[in-house]
């Protein structure tokens, strides 16, 4: 994909990191199902993505800011971008002075051990860096359940992981590839569990299936004949 209008959704990188199959079912096959957690998260993000800005002293808050990264081939919208007055910042159209940007992503629930949320946040920061020609050392995640803000250091390691995930997403999309299921504890919280059928896929045995149908079609065949 070379047309920016066809870039993948930036929010998908969080789903891709959580489960590549979940991402493929939702973004490749256009299958989606909501549960309580996804419905609550969607409503919360609807409020966050109401475009607008407000300025309080040396802090400028912009909501629903559209971003795009040609390097990652991803596009999307930041929940919030905070611009703080700083000598190391960048100029903004219609604003006096220099401003240092920092994306803030709002998430339902609480902080997680995996980097799924951090990868999405890092992708937003990398897109802002491309657009504004600046460097963003930190970003933040705000978790609705705990009402706590988590500062995320945008390390080189996290940036490389973000680039790797974005490259894989684009490759999967170009190939139209849906990965096989890898059942785990994360399946219980997935809204696509009934579409993915992880238990059924895990128990499926192609050899046993073939043997069973050979016996059905040929009552004179024995188990040894089908092995």
């Amino acid at each position: 994909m070379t047309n920016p209008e066809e870039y993948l959704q930036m929010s998908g990188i969080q789903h891709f990191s959580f489960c590549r199959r979940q991402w493929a079912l939702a973004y490749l096959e256009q299958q989606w199902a909501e549960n309580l957690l996804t419905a609550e998260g969607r409503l919360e993000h609807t409020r966050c993505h109401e475009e607008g800005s407000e300025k309080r002293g040396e802090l400028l808050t912009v909501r629903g800011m559209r971003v795009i990264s040609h390097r990652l081939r991803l596009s999307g919208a930041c929940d919030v971008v905070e611009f703080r007055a700083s000598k190391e910042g960048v100029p903004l159209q219609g604003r006096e002075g220099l401003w240092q940007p920092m994306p803030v992503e709002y998430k339902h629930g609480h902080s997680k051990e995996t980097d799924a949320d951090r990868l999405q946040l890092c992708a937003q920061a990398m897109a802002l860096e491309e657009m504004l020609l600046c460097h963003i050392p930190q970003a933040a995640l705000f978790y609705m359940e705990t009402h706590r803000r988590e500062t995320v250091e945008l390390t080189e390691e996290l940036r490389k992981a973000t680039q790797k995930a974005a490259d894989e997403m684009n490759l999967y999309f170009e190939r139209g590839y849906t990965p096989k299921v890898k059942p785990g504890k994360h399946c219980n919280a997935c809204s696509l569990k009934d579409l993915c059928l992880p238990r059924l896929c895990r128990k499926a045995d192609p050899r046993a299936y073939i043997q069973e149908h050979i016996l059905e079609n040929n009552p004179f065949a024995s188990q040894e004949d089908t092995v």
Side-chain angles (χ1 to χ4, degrees), residues 10-11 41-53 61-67 76-82 102-108 117 120-121 124 128 140-144:
M10 190 168 290
S11 59
R42 178 175 54 79
L43 291 174
E44 289 168 351
H45 272 79
T46 298
R47 301 188 191 101
C48 292
H49 281 177
E50 292 179 356
E51 296 183 7
S53 64
T61 302
V62 180
R63 296 182 178 83
M65 181 175 176
R66 301 294 303 179
V67 293
C78 298
D79 286 344
V80 168
V81 179
E82 293 181 349
M102 184 181 78
V104 181
E105 176 69 13
Y106 284 69
K107 291 294 184 185
H108 182 75
D117 293 344
Q120 181 183 351
L121 184 66
Q124 294 175 1
L128 283 166
L141 292 165
F142 184 86
Y143 288 97
M144 304 285 194

Side-chain angles (χ1 to χ4, degrees), residues 2-217:
T2 57
N3 185 350
E5 294 182 358
E6 297 177 357
Y7 283 174
L8 297 179
Q9 293 183 40
M10 190 168 290
S11 59
I13 199 169
Q14 191 268 352
H15 298 276
F16 188 82
S17 178
F18 174 77
C19 174
R20 283 158 169 72
R21 181 173 174 83
Q22 183 202 64
W23 172 83
L25 290 173
Y27 291 84
L28 281 180
E29 301 185 12
Q30 301 297 308
Q31 299 189 56
W32 187 252
E34 279 202 326
N35 58 18
L36 178 60
L37 294 177
T38 60
E40 290 177 343
R42 178 175 54 79
L43 291 174
E44 289 168 351
H45 272 79
T46 298
R47 301 188 191 101
C48 292
H49 281 177
E50 292 179 356
E51 296 183 7
S53 64
E54 61 178 305
K55 184 178 179 298
R56 294 184 179 181
E58 296 188 340
L59 176 63
L60 172 65
T61 302
V62 180
R63 296 182 178 83
M65 181 175 176
R66 301 294 303 179
V67 293
I68 186 169
S69 170
H70 302 294
R71 177 180 174 183
L72 299 173
R73 289 189 289 170
L74 301 176
S75 65
C78 298
D79 286 344
V80 168
V81 179
E82 293 181 349
F83 292 90
R84 294 185 182 276
S86 170
K87 294 180 180 179
E88 289 75 37
V90 295
L92 297 178
Q93 185 176 6
R95 300 284 179 179
E96 295 183 0
L98 301 177
W99 303 84
Q100 176 63 36
M102 184 181 78
V104 181
E105 176 69 13
Y106 284 69
K107 291 294 184 185
H108 182 75
H110 51 80
S111 181
K112 306 171 183 64
E113 294 182 3
T114 70
D115 279 336
D117 293 344
R118 299 178 188 94
L119 290 176
Q120 181 183 351
L121 184 66
C122 187
Q124 294 175 1
M126 291 172 70
L128 283 166
E129 288 176 336
E130 280 187 52
M131 295 168 60
L132 301 175
L133 301 178
C134 65
H135 176 66
I136 302 176
Q138 293 181 332
L141 292 165
F142 184 86
Y143 288 97
M144 304 285 194
E145 183 177 311
T146 58
H147 291 278
R148 297 189 60 134
R149 176 183 283 211
E150 174 186 319
T151 300
V152 178
E153 298 292 334
L154 303 178
T155 63
E156 188 62 28
E157 181 182 6
L158 184 60
R159 291 169 183 272
K160 288 181 179 179
T162 302
Q163 183 71 59
K164 184 174 183 292
D167 290 343
E168 289 182 8
M169 286 168 58
N170 279 285
L171 181 60
Y172 281 22
F173 190 85
E174 290 168 2
R175 291 172 54 194
Y177 174 66
T178 298
K180 294 181 180 179
V181 65
K182 291 184 178 179
K185 293 181 180 179
H186 61 284
C187 294
N188 295 327
C190 180
S191 63
L192 300 185
K193 182 171 62 175
D194 292 337
L195 295 172
C196 179
L197 301 176
R199 291 186 179 181
L200 180 61
C201 292
R202 178 174 56 183
K203 293 180 180 179
D205 184 345
R207 185 177 178 183
Y209 177 87
I210 293 172
Q211 290 178 345
E212 179 184 347
H213 282 71
I214 288 177
L215 289 174
E216 285 180 358
N217 297 327

